[in-house]
Amino acid sequence: MEYLTGFGRPIGTCAPRAAFDTDAPRLSLNGVWRFRLAPSAAEAADGFWAPGFDDSGWSRLPVPSSWPMHGHGRPAYTNVVYPFPLDPPHVPTDNPTGDHRLVFEVPAAFEGLGARLRFDGVDSCGRVWLNGVELGVTQGSRLPAEFDVTAALRPGGTNVLAVRVHQWSAGSYLEDQDMWWLPGIFRDVTLLARPAGGVDDVFVHATFEPGGHGRLRVDGPPGATVSIPALGLAGLPAGVAHDAGPVEPWTAETPRLYELVVATATETATLRVGFRTVAITGGILTVNGRRIVLRGVNRHEFHPDLGRVVPIEVVRAELELMRRHHVNAIRTSHYPPHPAVLDLCDELGFWVLDECDYETHGFETVGWRGNPSDDPRFAEACVDRMRRMVERDKNHPSVIMWSLGNEAGVGANLGLMADWARERDPDRPLHYEGDRGCAHVDVYSRMYATHAEVDAIGRGEDHGPHLPFILCEYAHAMGNGPGGLAEYDELFDRHPRCQGGFVWEWLDHGIRRPGGDFAYGGDFGEPLHDGNFVIDGLVFPDRTPSPGLTELGAVYAPVRLAVRPGEVTVRNRYAFRSLGGAGLHWSVTVDGVPSAEGAVRLPAVAAGQTAVVALPHAPVPPGTGEAWLTVHAVAADGLEIGSGQVQLRAGPAPVAVSMPAPRREGGVIRFGAAEFEPVHGRLTRLGDLALPRGPVLDVWRAPIDNDRLGPDPVAGRWRAAGLHRMTHRLLGIDLAPDAVVVATRVAAASSDRALLTWYTWRPVDRGAELTVRVEPTGGWDVPLPRLGVRLELPPDLGDVSWFGAGPGEAYPDSRTAALIGRYRSTVDDLATPYVYPQENGNRADARWLTLTGPDGTGLRVEGAPRIDFTARRWSTPDLDAARHRADLVPGDRIHLHLDHAHHGLGSAACGPGVLPPYVLRAEPATFSVVFRALPGSRGRR
Ligand code: IPT
């Protein structure tokens, strides 16, 4: 088994080539195979490759598959660390080994032709036999491997394919990406007929020239001819450059593809090609001569039920979801995807940074000692990986840059990879983030650089290389977050050299468990793991959007609208597309109810240009309600491409009423509709509405991942300060003629810091206005998680309406997507089901909200003037204690938080923390909120 320790080199494979369709026979070998898992290579079944071997007692397993997802062995998650000793090229003796067998018939059409067997992905190493003949060994999990099976194949007869897959091989040292370790034959297996003199490989060079002509050279087999019927090009000789005449260019915004046919006497291949020119001009990355901005995401290939197997319809749906959120770029973190993903990127339009299957991050833990990137024994494997990626994907117009890999330190082998790629494909720039010296690359790339640093780079005040700058990872989307997206986007708009980046990351890699829950690291008993760090996506594991994606969609929107009464300034942020065909939908609303609305067509604002568009005259109806003008830009296909709004008239202030002075009566304090208990001074009743627990000051939130993780987690300081266990001591209740004033000291055990808090209650119609004044004493050096009050309500008040920001959750540094309007939801739906439970669901800037039961009775709360709110069926301590969704069990109360302010979200789990304007400092503050009982449809009082 020396192949396991052979420094990651495949054995017996053919020269790599592009993936494309031809008219030669092909046979998919996907399907149900026979399978047996052994705990080590030595314990695997001897001789199982023999055609006559009896596998009838073996399990059945679908291929492609990640076998731990089908009950064989278990998934394991680590981020940086290797789950085996750093002892290259050796691998553990306990090396799960899956033997796979398939008996299949080969059609007679294969007779007389050459044949190849292609594996699109085997993790991590597969030894292959056909009809008892050993073909060789694959390595390089997410790269194709082909074997010549011409001699071993039996066309027109029964064939037996046997593949022994080892979880660990020397190649595993090169595949230390932050993801689940999931062995298996996880991509397609295909038998391909190879006619003599056929089209083995094609390299399409299709560029877009300044005059609008395409230029085409197709390197292919000698004597091949090239045609593009839609351009009237037919029978052109391969290997020669041609003027393709006027063409429509390919861009991610206008993904125009042409069908190209390459033919020899024995085979005809069909590809979809796009004309586009990638160049770095004057320090700027350009496509077809224009600066582009990468509004991107990092995309891993993962499925919550299938592991590394992602059905193509799921991929299409997720790419369409990206497009609807204005994502225009994908980094294939951290390996080439299934080949069909790039076909979809060509078709739907994405700028793709295609990354090699190469990462050695775990060597960082030993100071990069022994890093394969600088070990000559791994040189061949490194170059082989680069070659296989470039050869496979070289014809995709969407691929505009190659990446050497991720987090692999520095070393000579990276230089060899770069040299090989440059020589083979001079038309695409190279990317690699790990080498700050940028010795081998064409763009300066960083991950998680702060806003301030990106700004400095944009201004040219850094001392880094003078190359186009991109963030290959930024805005870590773990849990609730990221915050600060809008501020990054603004920098990409402002500085020509800052050309965008890729949010980390698209998808939560949770593994589905019964009951709607998702597992993460440690849930399979892994001795070494990185917990929920694998749950850091913009979409949940089932690919439903999280609020982070909604925010990203608003930030990445290609059109910016600056709305003023009667007119809108429209800024087209597309690089190539005009706004012809798009329109503006506008509405004037009073208290969230439309009083006028309409649509106007947009002029054909050219890419990068701005225009002022007048709106029809629509006066605000007389009255006192709060009025807004809201405008949405909508593309011809109905997709919203930008929005904005402006307040036309402010709303009214609450009106106090005079009532008989407060009085003590029967052990309670009564004042208008309000009733208080005398021990804590808490509100217990408003008219007919009994409150299980009246409002009290609350500063705690269930920490979000960005609070909990990173080098100096703020949540640790919060807990040390006791913010999760504040106690409330009554200082006194003062019954003034026009107010009840409850004075308290809110503080944590063992701390001499306090928040002195005065609750002043004044009567209003059917309720009471609460003014809370908070004065910190004793030296506060930690920010507060939140500042507000919490109260408990009966469980039947589950219907929620509000006039404020919505419809989704919003926090101070993540509220671009929220617009002021009138919204309805339920307590259950307000909660965002983060896979790892944490603070969520805040609705910002409510002017008013109601929580009502089926008969309409309930509570109305008015911000005076505005209040954030969150309503849940579990308490903040319950949320704080939960580790999975299933731990959150609805209780018999509704917990309502009304917040004057929140600490921001930031991105500190991996990257910068909360930006200064969004840090909630412990400072004196005063806020007001009005509570009114709602009588309901039966008119009770
Ligand atoms: C960075 C990795 O490149 C990425 O794969 C992922 O692990 C991400 O972090 C965190 O989720 S590396 C980090 C040390 C900056």
Side-chain angles (χ1 to χ4, degrees), residues 111-131:
E111 208 101 46
L113 301 172
R116 284 193 186 185
L117 182 62
R118 175 154 75 209
F119 293 89
D120 281 317
V122 178
D123 191 337
S124 77
C125 169
R127 185 172 171 193
V128 186
W129 294 263
L130 181 65
N131 300 324

Side-chain angles (χ1 to χ4, degrees), residues 79 178 334 361 406-407 447-448 473 476 504 533 536 910:
N79 171 10
D178 174 10
H334 300 303
H361 204 166
N406 181 58
E407 295 281 9
M447 44 173 78
Y448 308 107
E473 294 176 24
H476 198 250
W504 186 267
F533 220 64
D536 54 0
C910 186

Side-chain angles (χ1 to χ4, degrees), residues 54-121:
D54 178 12
D55 62 14
S56 58
W58 286 21
S59 308
R60 291 174 203 273
L61 181 76
V63 169
S65 60
S66 292
W67 74 61
M69 306 300 284
H70 299 267
H72 306 282
R74 289 167 155 222
Y77 165 59
T78 60
N79 171 10
V80 174
V81 296
Y82 287 93
F84 48 79
L86 297 186
D87 181 21
H90 305 290
V91 298
T93 303
D94 293 324
N95 185 1
T97 294
D99 285 336
H100 299 67
R101 291 183 98 249
L102 177 73
V103 179
F104 64 105
E105 302 298 318
V106 173
F110 280 76
E111 208 101 46
L113 301 172
R116 284 193 186 185
L117 182 62
R118 175 154 75 209
F119 293 89
D120 281 317

